[in-house]
Amino acid sequence: MQTVSKLSNKQIAKSLTSFIFGTIGLYLIIMIMILINEGGAGFGKYFVDNQQSLLTIAVSFAVLSAMLYCYFFFENKYVLSHFSKLSELFLIMYISFILSFVMSKYVDFMSRPVAFLPLMCATLFRRRDAIFINSVFALMILILDRFSELTYADNLSYLGEVQYANYACLLCSFCAGIVAVFVFNSVKTRIQSVMLAFILLIPVEAINCVIMLPVRIGAITAVEIFDLLIFGALSCIMSVMLYMFILPLFEMLFAEMTVFRLRELTSDSAKLIKKLKENAPGTYSHSVVVSQIVEACAKAIGEDAELARAAAFYHDVGKLKGPEMFAENQTEYNFHDDITPELSVDIIRSHTRNGAMLIKKSRLPEIFADVAIQHHGTMPIKYFYYKALKMSDGELNIDNYSYSGPIPESKIAALIMIADSSEAATRTLPDRSPEKVEAFVRSLIEERLDMGQFDNCNITMRELTIVKSTIVSQLTGVYHSRVAYPKLTVSKKK
C-alpha cells in the first residue's frame, strides 16, 4: 500500500462525509436486525421500550467511528484519500455485523465468525490497521451485546450467564483477531488459509471453556462441553470459509491485488505469462530472474515483495510485439544489422509503451502498466547511439536515441529498473566474480543517479546501497562458476 503524507481540504471533506455515511449505514444495519428480531408489529414498541439503550449504542458507535477516523488520519492517510478503501472498510464491517447476528440468532452465540473481519482487514489493509479495526469492531459487538437483546442466544439460562457470554465474545473477537493478523503474514496460498482455522481454534476454545463452563448452573455435562467445543470450532471454520468465499469478490469489485491474486497472475497459466513463455522464451527467462532479484530487493528495503515480484514478471511484456527484434530472443540472425539505428531505436523503445497498453488491455493492475513504461526511464539506448555516431559525420542529439520515459515514480519501478539493467548487462561480463559484478552494478546505479532517474520515487541512498548488495548477491548466485567437465567419452557397458 502506498503512503500519503498530507490530505487536501477536499480529501478531508470527502473522507469525513464517507465516514458519516458509513456510520449511518451501521445504524441501518442495527435497525434491520431489530426488524428481523422483533417483527413488524414489535418494531415500534422496541424503540419505545429501549430508548436509553439505543441512544447509548448510537453515541458509542459514533465515538468509535470517530476514533477509527482519527487513527487513519494520523497513521494511514492513504485509506482516507481513496474512496474505494473506505468502501471496503465499511462493507467488511457491515458483512461482519450481519454474519454475527445471523449466527447468534439461528445457531449459537459462540459460533460467530470472529476471525472473518481481521482476516479480511489483514489482507486488504496494513497489519497495524487490521489490529485497530478489529479492536474497534470487538468493542462495537460488546456494546451491541450489552445494550440490546439482538445477539443474545436463546439457550442462555440467566442474566449472569449472558454477561459472561458478552465478555467471552469480546475476548474471542480480540484474541482470535490478533492471532489471525499476525499468523496471516506467513500465509501465501489459499490452502494455507484453510489451515489457519486450526490455529484459531486454540484461543477461541481456551477462552470459551475458561469463561463459560464455570458459570453454568448445576453440574457440567459432557454434552455442554461438546457443544461449546463444536460451536467454537464452527466459529473458526466459518471465519476462514467465508473469508475464502468473499475475498475473491472484493478482489474483483475493488481490483485488489492480494497475495493470492498476485501469485495467480505470475503462474505459467496466466494469459500474458503463457504467451511470453511460448513466443519470447528469452524474455521470459530474463523476467523470471529479474523477478527473483526484485523480490529479494523489495524484502531488503521493506517494500511489498509479492507486488514487486509480480510487476517484474510483466515489465517486458511489450516485447511480445516483435520478440525477434530483441537480443535475448534471437539465435544467429540479428534483424538490426539490416536496418538503420534510428529505426532500431524506435522498435526497442516502443516495447515500454506497448507493454503498458497490453497490460491495460488485459485489465491488469495499474502499477504493472506504470512499471512497464517507467522501467527504462529516459536512459539512452547506447548501442544504437554509438552505431549512429559511427555512421554520421557530426554530433547527434542523444535524446533521439533515448527512452521517452517517464522516470520511475515508485520504489518498485526503480528496483525493476536497476535489476533489469543489471541482469541483462551481467550476462555480457566475461568475469562474473563478486568484485566485478559489484563494481558493475555500482556503476549502473551511479549512472542512473547522475541522470536523475530516481528523482520522483523517494528512494534513499541507504536503500540504494542495500539494493546494490542484494543484487550482487543474487546475480553471483545465478551466474556462479561451474566445474569444467573432462572431455571423456563413456560407452555403454556390454
Side-chain angles (χ1 to χ4, degrees):
M1 188 180 291
Q2 300 172 18
T3 57
V4 174
S5 58
K6 189 176 181 181
L7 293 173
S8 64
N9 291 335
K10 186 177 180 181
Q11 287 175 323
I12 292 174
K14 281 185 176 181
S15 60
L16 277 172
T17 304
S18 298
F19 252 81
I20 291 170
F21 278 99
T23 306
I24 292 173
L26 292 176
Y27 295 152
L28 291 175
I29 294 290
I30 295 173
M31 290 178 67
I32 292 170
M33 290 161 63
I34 294 172
L35 181 61
I36 294 172
N37 199 57
E38 301 296 325
F43 184 70
K45 185 177 182 300
Y46 183 89
F47 275 86
V48 174
D49 295 343
N50 297 275
Q51 291 181 21
Q52 185 60 46
S53 295
L54 290 174
L55 180 62
T56 301
I57 292 172
V59 173
S60 300
F61 273 44
V63 171
L64 289 171
S65 293
M67 287 176 58
L68 195 56
Y69 182 89
C70 291
Y71 166 81
F72 284 115
F73 186 83
F74 291 108
E75 293 294 330
N76 191 1
K77 293 181 176 65
Y78 178 86
V79 172
L80 299 181
S81 66
H82 287 73
F83 179 75
S84 62
K85 299 303 292 184
L86 291 175
S87 300
E88 287 178 19
L89 170 63
F90 281 103
L91 185 55
I92 292 170
M93 294 183 75
Y94 296 160
I95 294 171
S96 300
F97 270 111
I98 293 169
L99 291 174
S100 294
F101 170 72
V102 169
M103 295 301 290
S104 293
K105 183 172 178 62
Y106 299 106
V107 185
D108 188 90
F109 74 101
M110 284 298 177
S111 66
R112 295 171 176 176
V114 292
F116 169 75
L117 179 136
L119 282 173
M120 290 292 293
C121 291
T123 307
L124 302 174
F125 297 87
R126 300 185 310 186
R127 178 192 285 182
R128 230 172 5 181
D129 303 340
I131 292 173
F132 194 84
I133 296 168
N134 181 62
S135 301
V136 169
F137 178 75
L139 289 173
M140 285 181 170
I141 286 290
L142 175 65
I143 291 165
L144 200 60
D145 286 345
R146 179 65 182 83
F147 294 99
S148 77
E149 299 176 359
L150 298 176
T151 51
Y152 289 168
D154 294 335
N155 62 343
L156 295 180
S157 54
Y158 71 106
L159 184 59
E161 191 172 351
V162 169
Q163 292 175 343
Y164 276 98
N166 293 342
Y167 300 137
C169 288
L170 170 67
L171 284 174
C172 282
S173 297
F174 183 77
C175 296
I178 295 294
V179 171
V181 170
F182 280 98
V183 174
F184 182 80
N185 257 21
S186 60
V187 173
K188 300 299 180 184
T189 62
R190 297 191 193 270
I191 191 64
Q192 287 178 343
S193 295
V194 175
M195 299 302 296
L196 181 60
F198 295 99
I199 299 174
L200 295 175
L201 278 173
I202 300 171
V204 169
E205 299 291 17
I207 291 168
N208 287 349
C209 291
V210 169
I211 293 181
M212 293 307 300
L213 288 180
V215 298
R216 295 286 186 182
I217 294 177
I220 300 170
T221 65
V223 174
E224 288 179 323
I225 297 174
F226 182 75
D227 285 347
L228 208 57
L229 293 175
I230 285 296
F231 288 127
L234 181 61
S235 168
C236 299
I237 293 169
M238 286 294 293
S239 294
V240 174
M241 287 181 64
L242 289 165
Y243 164 72
M244 296 299 297
F245 177 75
I246 294 174
L247 180 63
L249 301 180
F250 274 75
E251 290 174 343
M252 180 178 63
L253 187 61
F254 297 103
E256 281 287 356
M257 284 298 105
T258 65
V259 63
F260 312 117
R261 181 64 178 145
L262 290 173
R263 296 232 162 185
E264 290 166 0
L265 288 176
T266 55
S267 69
D268 287 349
S269 60
K271 186 178 178 181
L272 287 184
I273 299 300
K274 188 176 181 180
K275 283 186 178 180
L276 202 64
K277 191 174 183 179
E278 293 173 353
N279 302 328
T283 301
Y284 170 78
S285 298
H286 163 72
S287 298
V288 169
V289 177
V290 170
S291 70
Q292 294 171 351
I293 296 170
V294 169
E295 183 180 15
C297 291
K299 283 181 181 177
I301 66 170
E303 285 294 299
D304 188 333
E306 292 288 344
L307 181 59
R309 174 180 175 271
F313 260 95
Y314 286 85
H315 80 282
D316 267 347
V317 292
K319 292 181 179 180
L320 282 170
K321 187 175 182 179
E324 70 281 353
M325 303 303 293
F326 299 89
E328 66 267 27
N329 299 311
Q330 294 172 350
T331 52
E332 295 180 359
Y333 178 64
N334 186 351
F335 290 89
H336 294 286
D337 292 339
D338 299 327
I339 58 178
T340 64
E342 290 75 19
L343 181 56
S344 293
V345 166
D346 286 339
I347 293 170
I348 296 299
R349 67 183 169 193
S350 68
H351 86 272
T352 59
R353 184 175 62 254
N354 292 337
M357 291 171 60
L358 190 57
I359 288 167
K360 289 177 181 178
K361 185 179 178 181
S362 302
R363 296 184 178 180
L364 292 171
E366 189 70 24
I367 189 172
F368 289 10
D370 293 341
V371 165
I373 204 167
Q374 294 170 14
H375 76 278
H376 283 295
T378 55
M379 293 297 294
I381 306 173
K382 293 180 182 178
Y383 179 86
F384 295 110
Y385 176 64
Y386 291 149
K387 184 177 178 181
L389 279 176
K390 292 178 182 178
M391 297 171 64
S392 64
D393 296 330
E395 291 187 2
L396 298 173
N397 185 355
I398 196 169
D399 291 340
N400 295 331
Y401 298 85
S402 300
Y403 287 97
S404 52
I407 60 176
E409 296 176 359
S410 67
K411 289 183 182 181
I412 288 177
L415 294 181
I416 293 174
M417 167 185 268
I418 299 168
D420 176 59
S421 56
S422 298
E423 195 280 332
T426 302
R427 290 174 182 263
T428 66
L429 290 178
D431 181 2
R432 294 171 185 163
S433 63
E435 295 78 15
K436 293 291 184 182
V437 173
E438 192 274 339
F440 195 65
V441 173
R442 184 175 65 250
S443 67
L444 287 173
I445 293 174
E446 289 174 351
E447 180 185 30
R448 280 149 184 76
L449 267 173
D450 293 340
M451 296 192 68
Q453 299 298 300
F454 305 134
D455 289 354
N456 292 346
C457 64
N458 297 323
I459 195 165
T460 65
M461 293 300 298
R462 178 180 175 275
E463 288 170 334
L464 286 174
T465 302
I466 294 171
V467 167
K468 180 198 68 177
S469 301
T470 306
I471 290 177
V472 171
S473 175
Q474 292 288 313
L475 286 175
T476 51
V478 171
Y479 300 117
H480 59 278
S481 59
R482 294 180 179 272
V483 176
Y485 289 98
K487 294 182 180 180
L488 178 65
T489 303
V490 180
S491 59
K492 185 178 179 180
K493 291 183 179 180
K494 294 182 180 180

